[in-house]
Coordinates of all heavy atoms in Angstrom, one line a residue:
M1023 N 251.6 351.8 156.4 CA 252.8 351.9 157.3 C 254.0 351.2 156.6 O 253.8 350.3 155.8 CB 252.5 351.2 158.7 CG 251.6 352.0 159.6 SD 252.4 353.6 160.1 CE 251.2 354.8 159.7
G1024 N 255.1 351.6 157.0 CA 256.3 351.0 156.4 C 256.8 351.8 155.2 O 257.9 352.1 155.0
K1025 N 255.8 352.3 154.5 CA 256.1 353.2 153.3 C 256.3 354.6 153.8 O 255.7 355.0 154.8 CB 255.0 353.1 152.3 CG 255.1 352.0 151.3 CD 253.9 352.1 150.4 CE 254.0 351.0 149.3 NZ 252.9 351.0 148.4
G1026 N 257.0 355.4 153.0 CA 257.1 356.8 153.3 C 258.0 357.2 154.4 O 257.7 358.2 155.1
S1027 N 259.1 356.5 154.7 CA 260.0 356.9 155.7 C 261.4 356.9 155.2 O 262.4 356.5 155.9 CB 259.9 355.9 156.9 OG 260.1 354.6 156.4
N1028 N 261.6 357.3 153.9 CA 262.9 357.3 153.3 C 263.7 358.6 153.7 O 263.1 359.6 153.8 CB 262.8 357.1 151.8 CG 262.3 355.8 151.4 OD1 262.9 354.8 151.6 ND2 261.0 355.8 150.9
T1029 N 265.0 358.5 153.8 CA 265.8 359.6 154.1 C 265.9 360.6 152.9 O 266.1 360.1 151.8 CB 267.2 359.1 154.4 OG1 267.2 358.0 155.3 CG2 268.0 360.2 155.1
P1030 N 265.6 361.9 153.2 CA 265.7 362.8 152.1 C 267.2 362.8 151.5 O 268.1 362.6 152.2 CB 265.5 364.2 152.8 CG 264.7 363.8 154.0 CD 265.2 362.5 154.4
I1031 N 267.3 363.1 150.2 CA 268.6 363.1 149.5 C 268.8 364.5 149.0 O 267.8 365.1 148.4 CB 268.6 362.1 148.4 CG1 268.4 360.7 148.9 CG2 269.9 362.2 147.6 CD1 268.3 359.6 147.8
A1032 N 269.9 365.1 149.1 CA 270.3 366.4 148.6 C 270.2 366.4 147.1 O 270.7 365.5 146.4 CB 271.6 366.9 149.1
A1033 N 269.7 367.4 146.4 CA 269.6 367.6 145.0 C 270.9 368.2 144.5 O 271.5 369.1 145.1 CB 268.4 368.4 144.6
D1034 N 271.4 367.7 143.3 CA 272.5 368.2 142.7 C 272.0 369.1 141.5 O 271.7 368.7 140.4 CB 273.4 367.1 142.1 CG 274.7 367.6 141.4 OD1 274.8 368.8 141.2 OD2 275.5 366.8 141.1
H1035 N 272.0 370.4 141.8 CA 271.4 371.4 140.8 C 272.1 371.4 139.5 O 271.5 371.8 138.5 CB 271.3 372.8 141.4 CG 270.3 372.9 142.5 ND1 269.9 374.1 143.0 CD2 269.6 371.9 143.1 CE1 269.0 373.8 144.0 NE2 268.8 372.6 144.1
S1036 N 273.4 371.1 139.5 CA 274.1 371.1 138.2 C 273.7 370.0 137.2 O 273.9 370.1 136.0 CB 275.6 370.9 138.5 OG 275.9 369.6 138.9
K1037 N 272.9 369.0 137.7 CA 272.4 368.0 136.9 C 271.0 368.1 136.5 O 270.4 367.3 135.8 CB 272.6 366.6 137.6 CG 274.1 366.2 137.7 CD 274.1 364.8 138.3 CE 275.5 364.3 138.4 NZ 275.5 363.0 139.1
L1038 N 270.3 369.1 137.1 CA 268.9 369.3 136.9 C 268.5 370.1 135.6 O 269.3 371.0 135.2 CB 268.2 369.9 138.1 CG 268.3 369.1 139.4 CD1 267.7 369.9 140.5 CD2 267.6 367.8 139.2
K1039 N 267.4 369.7 135.0 CA 267.0 370.4 133.8 C 265.6 370.9 134.0 O 264.8 370.3 134.7 CB 266.9 369.4 132.6 CG 268.3 369.0 132.2 CD 268.1 368.1 130.9 CE 269.4 367.6 130.5 NZ 270.0 366.6 131.4
S1040 N 265.3 372.1 133.5 CA 263.9 372.7 133.5 C 263.7 373.5 132.3 O 264.6 374.2 131.8 CB 263.8 373.5 134.8 OG 262.6 374.2 134.7
P1041 N 262.5 373.5 131.7 CA 262.1 374.3 130.6 C 261.9 375.7 131.0 O 261.8 376.6 130.2 CB 260.9 373.6 130.0 CG 260.2 373.0 131.2 CD 261.4 372.6 132.2
S1042 N 261.8 376.0 132.3 CA 261.4 377.3 132.8 C 262.7 378.2 132.9 O 263.8 377.7 133.2 CB 260.8 377.1 134.2 OG 260.7 378.4 134.9
A1043 N 262.5 379.5 132.7 CA 263.6 380.4 132.8 C 264.0 380.6 134.2 O 265.1 380.9 134.5 CB 263.2 381.8 132.2
I1044 N 263.0 380.5 135.1 CA 263.3 380.6 136.5 C 262.9 379.3 137.2 O 261.8 379.1 137.8 CB 262.4 381.8 137.2 CG1 262.6 383.0 136.3 CG2 262.9 382.0 138.6 CD1 261.5 384.0 136.5
P1045 N 263.8 378.3 137.0 CA 263.4 377.0 137.6 C 263.4 377.0 139.1 O 264.2 377.7 139.7 CB 264.6 376.1 137.0 CG 265.7 377.0 136.7 CD 265.1 378.4 136.5
R1046 N 262.5 376.2 139.6 CA 262.4 376.0 141.0 C 262.9 374.6 141.4 O 262.2 373.7 141.4 CB 261.0 376.2 141.5 CG 260.5 377.7 141.6 CD 259.1 377.8 142.0 NE 258.2 377.0 141.2 CZ 256.9 377.0 141.3 NH1 256.3 377.7 142.2 NH2 256.2 376.2 140.5
F1047 N 264.2 374.6 141.6 CA 264.8 373.3 141.9 C 264.7 373.0 143.4 O 264.9 374.0 144.2 CB 266.3 373.3 141.5 CG 266.5 373.3 140.0 CD1 267.6 373.9 139.5 CD2 265.6 372.7 139.2 CE1 267.9 373.9 138.1 CE2 265.8 372.7 137.8 CZ 266.9 373.3 137.3
P1048 N 264.5 371.8 143.8 CA 264.4 371.5 145.2 C 265.8 371.4 145.8 O 266.7 371.1 145.1 CB 263.7 370.1 145.2 CG 264.1 369.5 143.9 CD 264.2 370.6 142.9
E1049 N 265.9 371.7 147.1 CA 267.2 371.5 147.8 C 267.3 370.0 148.2 O 268.4 369.5 148.1 CB 267.2 372.3 149.1 CG 267.2 373.8 148.9 CD 268.5 374.3 148.1 OE1 269.6 373.7 148.4 OE2 268.3 375.1 147.3
F1050 N 266.2 369.4 148.5 CA 266.2 368.0 148.8 C 265.1 367.3 148.1 O 264.1 367.9 147.8 CB 266.1 367.8 150.3 CG 267.3 368.1 151.1 CD1 267.5 369.4 151.6 CD2 268.3 367.1 151.4 CE1 268.7 369.7 152.3 CE2 269.4 367.5 152.1 CZ 269.6 368.8 152.6
Y1051 N 265.3 366.0 147.9 CA 264.2 365.1 147.5 C 263.6 364.5 148.7 O 264.3 363.9 149.5 CB 264.6 364.1 146.5 CG 265.4 364.6 145.3 CD1 266.7 364.3 145.1 CD2 264.7 365.4 144.4 CE1 267.4 364.8 143.9 CE2 265.3 365.9 143.3 CZ 266.7 365.6 143.1 OH 267.3 366.1 142.0
Y1052 N 262.2 364.6 148.8 CA 261.5 363.9 149.9 C 260.6 362.9 149.3 O 260.3 362.9 148.1 CB 260.7 364.9 150.7 CG 261.5 366.0 151.4 CD1 261.7 367.2 150.7 CD2 262.1 365.8 152.6 CE1 262.5 368.2 151.4 CE2 262.8 366.8 153.3 CZ 263.0 368.0 152.6 OH 263.8 369.0 153.2
D1053 N 260.1 362.0 150.2 CA 259.1 361.1 149.7 C 257.9 361.9 149.1 O 257.5 362.8 149.7 CB 258.5 360.3 150.9 CG 259.5 359.1 151.3 OD1 260.4 358.9 150.5 OD2 259.3 358.6 152.4
V1054 N 257.4 361.4 148.0 CA 256.2 362.1 147.4 C 255.1 361.0 147.3 O 255.2 360.1 146.4 CB 256.6 362.6 146.0 CG1 255.3 363.2 145.3 CG2 257.7 363.6 146.0
P1055 N 254.1 361.1 148.2 CA 253.0 360.2 148.1 C 252.1 360.5 146.9 O 251.9 361.7 146.6 CB 252.2 360.4 149.4 CG 253.0 361.4 150.1 CD 253.9 362.1 149.2
F1056 N 251.7 359.5 146.2 CA 250.8 359.8 145.0 C 249.9 358.6 144.8 O 250.2 357.5 145.3 CB 251.6 360.1 143.8 CG 252.3 359.0 143.2 CD1 251.8 358.3 142.1 CD2 253.5 358.6 143.7 CE1 252.5 357.2 141.6 CE2 254.2 357.5 143.2 CZ 253.7 356.8 142.1
A1057 N 248.7 358.8 144.1 CA 247.8 357.8 143.8 C 248.0 357.4 142.3 O 248.0 358.3 141.5 CB 246.4 358.2 144.0
C1058 N 248.2 356.2 142.0 CA 248.5 355.8 140.6 C 247.3 356.2 139.8 O 246.1 355.9 140.1 CB 248.7 354.3 140.5 SG 248.8 353.7 138.8
R1059 N 247.5 356.8 138.6 CA 246.5 357.3 137.7 C 245.7 356.2 137.1 O 244.6 356.3 136.6 CB 247.1 358.2 136.7 CG 246.1 359.0 135.9 CD 246.8 360.0 135.0 NE 247.3 361.2 135.7 CZ 247.9 362.2 135.1 NH1 248.1 362.2 133.8 NH2 248.3 363.3 135.7
E1060 N 246.4 355.0 137.0 CA 245.8 353.9 136.3 C 244.9 353.1 137.2 O 243.8 352.8 137.0 CB 246.9 353.0 135.7 CG 246.4 351.8 134.9 CD 246.3 352.2 133.4 OE1 246.7 353.3 133.0 OE2 245.8 351.3 132.7
C1061 N 245.5 352.6 138.4 CA 244.7 351.7 139.2 C 244.4 352.3 140.6 O 243.7 351.7 141.4 CB 245.6 350.4 139.5 SG 247.1 350.7 140.4
G1062 N 244.8 353.5 140.9 CA 244.5 354.2 142.1 C 245.2 353.8 143.3 O 244.9 354.2 144.4
S1063 N 246.2 352.9 143.1 CA 247.0 352.4 144.3 C 247.8 353.5 144.9 O 248.3 354.4 144.3 CB 247.9 351.3 143.7 OG 249.0 351.2 144.6
S1064 N 247.9 353.5 146.3 CA 248.6 354.5 147.0 C 250.1 354.1 146.9 O 250.5 353.1 147.4 CB 248.2 354.6 148.5 OG 247.0 355.1 148.6
E1065 N 250.9 355.1 146.4 CA 252.3 354.8 146.2 C 253.2 355.9 146.8 O 252.7 357.0 147.1 CB 252.6 354.7 144.7 CG 251.9 353.6 144.0 CD 252.3 352.2 144.4 OE1 253.5 352.1 144.7 OE2 251.5 351.3 144.5
V1066 N 254.5 355.6 146.9 CA 255.4 356.7 147.4 C 256.5 356.7 146.4 O 257.1 355.7 146.0 CB 256.0 356.4 148.8 CG1 257.1 357.3 149.1 CG2 254.9 356.4 149.8
W1067 N 256.8 357.9 145.8 CA 257.9 358.1 144.9 C 259.1 358.5 145.8 O 259.1 359.6 146.4 CB 257.6 359.2 143.9 CG 258.4 359.2 142.7 CD1 259.1 358.2 142.2 CD2 258.8 360.4 141.9 NE1 259.8 358.6 141.1 CE2 259.6 359.9 140.9 CE3 258.4 361.7 142.0 CZ2 260.1 360.7 139.9 CZ3 258.9 362.6 141.0 CH2 259.8 362.1 140.0
T1068 N 260.0 357.6 145.9 CA 261.1 357.8 146.9 C 262.2 358.8 146.4 O 262.3 359.1 145.2 CB 261.8 356.5 147.2 OG1 262.5 356.1 146.0 CG2 260.8 355.4 147.6
P1069 N 262.9 359.4 147.4 CA 264.0 360.3 147.0 C 265.0 359.7 146.1 O 265.4 360.4 145.1 CB 264.7 360.6 148.4 CG 263.6 360.4 149.4 CD 262.7 359.3 148.8
K1070 N 265.3 358.4 146.3 CA 266.2 357.7 145.4 C 265.7 357.7 143.9 O 266.4 357.9 143.0 CB 266.4 356.3 145.9 CG 267.8 355.8 146.1 CD 267.7 354.5 146.7 CE 269.0 353.7 146.5 NZ 269.0 352.4 147.2
Q1071 N 264.4 357.4 143.8 CA 263.8 357.3 142.5 C 263.8 358.7 141.8 O 264.0 358.8 140.6 CB 262.4 356.8 142.6 CG 262.3 355.3 142.9 CD 260.9 354.8 143.3 OE1 260.1 355.6 143.8 NE2 260.6 353.6 143.0
Q1072 N 263.5 359.7 142.6 CA 263.5 361.1 142.1 C 264.9 361.5 141.6 O 265.0 362.1 140.5 CB 263.0 362.1 143.1 CG 261.5 361.9 143.5 CD 261.2 362.6 144.7 OE1 261.4 363.8 144.8 NE2 260.6 361.9 145.7
K1073 N 265.9 361.2 142.4 CA 267.3 361.6 142.0 C 267.6 360.9 140.7 O 268.2 361.5 139.8 CB 268.2 361.2 143.1 CG 269.6 361.8 142.9 CD 270.5 361.5 144.1 CE 271.9 362.1 144.0 NZ 272.0 363.5 144.0
W1074 N 267.3 359.6 140.6 CA 267.6 358.9 139.4 C 266.8 359.5 138.2 O 267.4 359.7 137.1 CB 267.1 357.4 139.6 CG 267.2 356.6 138.3 CD1 268.3 356.0 137.8 CD2 266.1 356.2 137.5 NE1 268.0 355.4 136.6 CE2 266.6 355.5 136.4 CE3 264.7 356.5 137.5 CZ2 265.8 355.0 135.4 CZ3 263.9 356.0 136.4 CH2 264.5 355.3 135.4
W1075 N 265.6 359.8 138.4 CA 264.7 360.3 137.3 C 265.2 361.7 136.8 O 265.4 362.0 135.7 CB 263.3 360.4 137.8 CG 262.4 361.1 136.8 CD1 261.8 362.4 137.0 CD2 261.9 360.7 135.5 NE1 261.1 362.7 135.9 CE2 261.1 361.7 135.0 CE3 262.1 359.5 134.8 CZ2 260.5 361.6 133.8 CZ3 261.5 359.4 133.6 CH2 260.7 360.4 133.1
Y1076 N 265.5 362.6 137.8 CA 265.9 364.0 137.4 C 267.3 364.1 137.0 O 267.7 364.9 136.1 CB 265.6 364.9 138.6 CG 264.1 365.1 139.0 CD1 263.7 365.0 140.3 CD2 263.2 365.4 138.0 CE1 262.4 365.2 140.6 CE2 261.9 365.6 138.3 CZ 261.4 365.5 139.6 OH 260.1 365.6 139.9
E1077 N 268.2 363.4 137.7 CA 269.6 363.6 137.6 C 270.3 362.6 136.7 O 271.2 362.9 135.9 CB 270.3 363.6 138.9 CG 269.8 364.8 139.8 CD 270.5 364.9 141.1 OE1 271.5 364.2 141.3 OE2 270.0 365.7 142.0
E1078 N 269.9 361.3 136.7 CA 270.6 360.3 135.9 C 270.0 360.2 134.5 O 270.7 360.1 133.5 CB 270.4 358.9 136.6 CG 271.1 358.8 138.0 CD 272.5 359.3 138.0 OE1 273.3 358.9 137.0 OE2 272.9 360.0 138.9
I1079 N 268.7 360.3 134.4 CA 268.1 360.2 133.0 C 267.6 361.5 132.5 O 266.9 361.5 131.5 CB 267.1 359.0 132.9 CG1 265.9 359.3 133.7 CG2 267.7 357.7 133.3 CD1 264.7 358.4 133.4
G1080 N 267.8 362.6 133.3 CA 267.5 363.9 132.8 C 266.0 364.2 132.7 O 265.5 364.9 131.8
G1081 N 265.2 363.7 133.6 CA 263.8 364.0 133.6 C 263.5 365.4 133.9 O 264.2 366.1 134.7
N1082 N 262.5 366.0 133.2 CA 262.1 367.4 133.5 C 261.7 367.5 134.9 O 260.9 366.8 135.5 CB 260.9 367.6 132.5 CG 260.4 369.1 132.6 OD1 260.6 369.8 133.6 ND2 259.9 369.5 131.5
I1083 N 262.2 368.6 135.6 CA 261.9 368.9 137.0 C 260.4 369.1 137.2 O 260.0 369.0 138.4 CB 262.8 370.1 137.5 CG1 262.9 370.1 139.0 CG2 262.2 371.4 137.0 CD1 263.7 369.0 139.6
E1084 N 259.7 369.5 136.2 CA 258.2 369.7 136.4 C 257.4 368.4 136.4 O 256.3 368.4 136.7 CB 257.7 370.5 135.2 CG 258.5 371.7 134.8 CD 258.4 372.9 135.7 OE1 257.3 373.1 136.2 OE2 259.3 373.7 135.9
T1085 N 258.1 367.3 136.0 CA 257.4 366.0 136.0 C 257.5 365.3 137.3 O 258.5 365.3 138.0 CB 257.9 365.1 134.8 OG1 259.3 364.9 135.0 CG2 257.7 365.8 133.5
T1086 N 256.4 364.5 137.6 CA 256.5 363.6 138.8 C 255.9 362.3 138.4 O 255.3 362.1 137.3 CB 255.6 364.2 139.9 OG1 254.2 364.2 139.5 CG2 256.0 365.6 140.3
A1087 N 256.0 361.3 139.3 CA 255.5 360.0 139.1 C 254.0 360.0 139.1 O 253.4 360.7 139.9 CB 256.0 359.0 140.1
I1088 N 253.3 359.3 138.1 CA 251.9 359.2 138.2 C 251.4 357.8 138.1 O 250.2 357.5 138.4 CB 251.2 360.1 137.0 CG1 251.9 359.7 135.7 CG2 251.3 361.5 137.3 CD1 251.2 360.4 134.5
Y1089 N 252.3 356.9 137.8 CA 251.9 355.5 137.8 C 252.7 354.6 138.7 O 253.9 354.9 138.9 CB 252.1 354.9 136.3 CG 251.2 355.6 135.3 CD1 251.8 356.4 134.3 CD2 249.8 355.4 135.3 CE1 251.1 357.0 133.4 CE2 249.1 356.1 134.3 CZ 249.7 356.9 133.4 OH 248.9 357.5 132.4
C1090 N 252.1 353.6 139.3 CA 252.8 352.7 140.1 C 253.6 351.8 139.2 O 253.5 351.8 138.0 CB 251.8 351.8 141.0 SG 250.8 350.6 140.0
R1091 N 254.5 351.0 139.9 CA 255.5 350.2 139.1 C 254.8 349.2 138.2 O 255.1 349.1 137.0 CB 256.4 349.5 140.0 CG 257.6 349.0 139.4 CD 258.6 348.4 140.4 NE 259.4 347.3 139.8 CZ 260.4 347.5 138.9 NH1 260.7 348.7 138.6 NH2 261.0 346.4 138.4
P1092 N 253.8 348.4 138.7 CA 253.2 347.4 137.8 C 252.5 348.1 136.6 O 252.5 347.6 135.5 CB 252.1 346.7 138.7 CG 252.7 346.9 140.1 CD 253.4 348.2 140.1
C1093 N 251.9 349.2 136.8 CA 251.2 349.9 135.7 C 252.2 350.5 134.8 O 251.9 350.5 133.6 CB 250.3 351.0 136.3 SG 248.8 350.4 137.1
R1094 N 253.3 351.0 135.3 CA 254.4 351.5 134.4 C 254.9 350.4 133.4 O 255.0 350.6 132.2 CB 255.6 352.0 135.2 CG 255.4 353.5 135.5 CD 256.8 354.2 135.7 NE 257.7 353.4 136.5 CZ 257.8 353.4 137.8 NH1 257.0 354.3 138.5 NH2 258.6 352.7 138.5
I1095 N 255.1 349.2 134.0 CA 255.6 348.1 133.2 C 254.5 347.7 132.2 O 254.8 347.4 131.0 CB 255.9 346.9 134.2 CG1 257.1 347.3 135.0 CG2 256.2 345.6 133.4 CD1 257.5 346.3 136.1
K1096 N 253.3 347.6 132.6 CA 252.2 347.3 131.8 C 252.1 348.2 130.6 O 252.0 347.9 129.4 CB 250.8 347.3 132.5 CG 249.8 346.3 132.1 CD 248.7 346.1 133.1 CE 248.0 347.4 133.4 NZ 247.1 347.3 134.6
R1097 N 252.2 349.5 130.9 CA 252.1 350.6 129.9 C 253.3 350.5 128.9 O 253.1 350.7 127.7 CB 252.0 352.0 130.5 CG 250.8 352.2 131.3 CD 250.8 353.6 132.0 NE 250.9 354.6 131.0 CZ 249.9 355.1 130.3 NH1 248.7 354.7 130.5 NH2 250.1 356.1 129.4
R1098 N 254.4 350.1 129.4 CA 255.6 350.0 128.5 C 255.4 348.9 127.6 O 255.7 349.0 126.4 CB 256.9 349.8 129.4 CG 258.1 350.2 128.6 CD 259.3 350.2 129.5 NE 259.5 349.0 130.2 CZ 260.1 348.8 131.4 NH1 260.4 349.9 132.1 NH2 260.2 347.6 131.9
L1099 N 254.9 347.8 128.1 CA 254.6 346.6 127.2 C 253.6 346.9 126.1 O 253.8 346.6 125.0 CB 254.1 345.4 128.0 CG 255.2 344.8 129.0 CD1 254.5 343.7 129.8 CD2 256.4 344.3 128.2
V1100 N 252.6 347.7 126.5 CA 251.6 348.0 125.5 C 252.2 348.9 124.4 O 252.0 348.8 123.2 CB 250.4 348.8 126.2 CG1 249.5 349.5 125.2 CG2 249.6 347.8 127.1
K1101 N 253.1 349.8 124.9 CA 253.7 350.7 123.9 C 254.6 350.0 123.0 O 254.7 350.2 121.8 CB 254.6 351.8 124.7 CG 254.4 353.2 124.2 CD 255.4 354.1 124.9 CE 254.8 354.9 126.0 NZ 255.8 355.7 126.7
E1102 N 255.4 349.0 123.5 CA 256.3 348.2 122.7 C 255.5 347.4 121.7 O 255.9 347.2 120.6 CB 257.2 347.3 123.6 CG 258.4 348.0 124.1 CD 259.1 347.3 125.2 OE1 258.8 346.1 125.4 OE2 260.0 347.9 125.9
E1103 N 254.4 346.8 122.2 CA 253.6 346.0 121.3 C 253.0 346.9 120.1 O 253.1 346.5 119.0 CB 252.4 345.4 122.1 CG 251.4 344.7 121.3 CD 251.9 343.4 120.7 OE1 253.0 343.0 121.1 OE2 251.3 342.8 119.8
A1104 N 252.6 348.1 120.5 CA 252.1 349.0 119.4 C 253.2 349.4 118.4 O 252.9 349.4 117.2 CB 251.6 350.3 120.1
R1105 N 254.4 349.5 118.9 CA 255.5 349.9 118.1 C 255.9 348.7 117.2 O 256.1 348.9 116.0 CB 256.7 350.2 119.0 CG 257.9 350.8 118.2 CD 258.9 351.4 119.1 NE 260.2 351.6 118.4 CZ 261.1 350.7 118.2 NH1 261.0 349.5 118.7 NH2 262.2 351.1 117.5
R1106 N 255.8 347.5 117.7 CA 256.1 346.3 116.9 C 255.1 346.1 115.8 O 255.5 345.9 114.6 CB 256.1 345.1 117.9 CG 256.6 343.8 117.3 CD 256.6 342.7 118.3 NE 255.2 342.3 118.6 CZ 254.4 341.6 117.9 NH1 254.8 341.2 116.7 NH2 253.1 341.3 118.3
V1107 N 253.8 346.3 116.1 CA 252.8 346.2 115.1 C 253.0 347.2 114.1 O 252.9 347.0 112.9 CB 251.4 346.3 115.8 CG1 250.3 346.4 114.8 CG2 251.1 345.1 116.7
H1108 N 253.3 348.5 114.5 CA 253.6 349.5 113.6 C 254.7 349.2 112.6 O 254.6 349.3 111.4 CB 253.9 350.8 114.3 CG 254.2 352.0 113.5 ND1 253.3 352.6 112.7 CD2 255.4 352.7 113.3 CE1 253.9 353.6 112.0 NE2 255.1 353.7 112.4
L1109 N 255.8 348.7 113.2 CA 257.0 348.4 112.3 C 256.6 347.2 111.4 O 257.1 347.2 110.2 CB 258.2 348.0 113.2 CG 258.8 349.2 114.0 CD1 259.9 348.7 114.8 CD2 259.3 350.3 113.0
E1110 N 255.9 346.2 111.9 CA 255.5 345.1 111.0 C 254.6 345.6 109.9 O 254.8 345.2 108.7 CB 254.8 344.1 111.8 CG 255.7 343.1 112.5 CD 255.0 342.1 113.4 OE1 253.7 342.1 113.3 OE2 255.7 341.3 114.1
G1111 N 253.8 346.6 110.2 CA 252.9 347.2 109.2 C 253.7 347.8 108.1 O 253.5 347.7 106.9
L1112 N 254.8 348.6 108.5 CA 255.7 349.2 107.6 C 256.4 348.2 106.7 O 256.5 348.4 105.5 CB 256.7 350.1 108.3 CG 256.1 351.4 109.0 CD1 257.2 352.1 109.7 CD2 255.4 352.3 108.1
A1113 N 256.9 347.2 107.4 CA 257.6 346.1 106.6 C 256.8 345.5 105.6 O 257.2 345.2 104.5 CB 258.2 345.1 107.6
R1114 N 255.5 345.2 106.0 CA 254.6 344.5 105.1 C 254.3 345.5 103.9 O 254.3 345.0 102.8 CB 253.3 344.3 105.9 CG 252.6 343.1 105.3 CD 251.4 342.7 106.2 NE 251.8 342.3 107.5 CZ 251.3 342.7 108.7 NH1 250.3 343.6 108.7 NH2 251.7 342.2 109.8
K1115 N 254.1 346.7 104.2 CA 253.9 347.7 103.1 C 255.1 347.7 102.1 O 254.9 347.7 100.9 CB 253.8 349.1 103.7 CG 252.5 349.8 103.3 CD 252.5 351.2 103.8 CE 251.6 351.5 104.9 NZ 251.7 352.8 105.5
G1116 N 256.3 347.6 102.7 CA 257.5 347.7 101.9 C 257.6 346.4 101.0 O 258.0 346.5 99.9
R1117 N 257.2 345.3 101.5 CA 257.3 344.1 100.8 C 256.4 344.0 99.6 O 256.7 343.4 98.6 CB 257.0 342.9 101.7 CG 258.2 342.1 102.0 CD 257.9 340.7 102.5 NE 256.9 340.5 103.4 CZ 257.0 340.6 104.7 NH1 258.2 340.9 105.3 NH2 256.0 340.4 105.5
Y1118 N 255.2 344.5 99.8 CA 254.2 344.3 98.7 C 253.9 345.5 97.8 O 253.0 345.5 97.1 CB 252.8 344.0 99.4 CG 252.9 342.6 100.1 CD1 252.8 342.5 101.4 CD2 253.1 341.4 99.3 CE1 252.9 341.3 102.1 CE2 253.2 340.2 99.9 CZ 253.1 340.1 101.3 OH 253.2 338.9 101.9
T1119 N 254.8 346.5 97.8 CA 254.6 347.6 96.9 C 255.8 347.7 95.9 O 256.8 347.0 96.1 CB 254.5 349.0 97.6 OG1 255.6 349.1 98.5 CG2 253.2 349.1 98.4
Ligands
ZN1056 ZN1 248.8 351.4 139.2

């Protein structure tokens, strides 16, 4: 309770992107309940988050949220760590060849 009662927000189709020739853009963004793929937590992807994802940062209209916030942050840290190790590996290679 408490979750899942956000006001729908009208979609701005001029800002939406789709790889499809016949895109199916929503008229409004509604709460999208989902279970986090990582930890199984019950989450709600809010209209505000969807508008930001699709319209502000150009997210593909076919994509939806699959991870809860803590898992997203965790996954981003893991990715950054992998990138850092990768770059260090490259730097090391450069130094010793
Ligand atoms: Zn999670």
Side-chain angles (χ1 to χ4, degrees):
M1023 284 295 127
K1025 276 182 177 179
S1027 54
N1028 295 294
T1029 313
I1031 299 176
D1034 181 350
H1035 289 192
S1036 70
K1037 289 184 178 173
L1038 294 178
K1039 292 186 181 70
S1040 171
S1042 167
I1044 311 155
R1046 283 179 307 183
F1047 292 150
E1049 290 302 319
F1050 286 89
Y1051 303 116
Y1052 298 94
D1053 282 348
V1054 176
F1056 69 99
C1058 174
R1059 193 175 280 184
E1060 184 94 7
C1061 69
S1063 156
S1064 290
E1065 299 293 326
V1066 172
W1067 198 26
T1068 67
K1070 231 175 160 174
Q1071 290 170 326
Q1072 291 167 55
K1073 193 174 176 70
W1074 173 79
W1075 171 252
Y1076 294 131
E1077 297 182 9
E1078 299 306 319
I1079 65 167
N1082 185 332
I1083 199 71
E1084 317 280 328
T1085 58
T1086 66
I1088 51 175
Y1089 297 111
C1090 70
R1091 195 175 150 77
C1093 287
R1094 270 207 313 273
I1095 292 169
K1096 211 164 62 190
R1097 292 177 62 82
R1098 200 169 59 210
L1099 291 179
V1100 167
K1101 227 190 258 173
E1102 276 168 13
E1103 176 66 13
R1105 188 168 169 273
R1106 191 179 63 78
V1107 169
H1108 176 67
L1109 289 178
E1110 275 178 6
L1112 291 180
R1114 208 171 296 136
K1115 231 187 253 170
R1117 251 202 315 275
Y1118 292 114
T1119 50

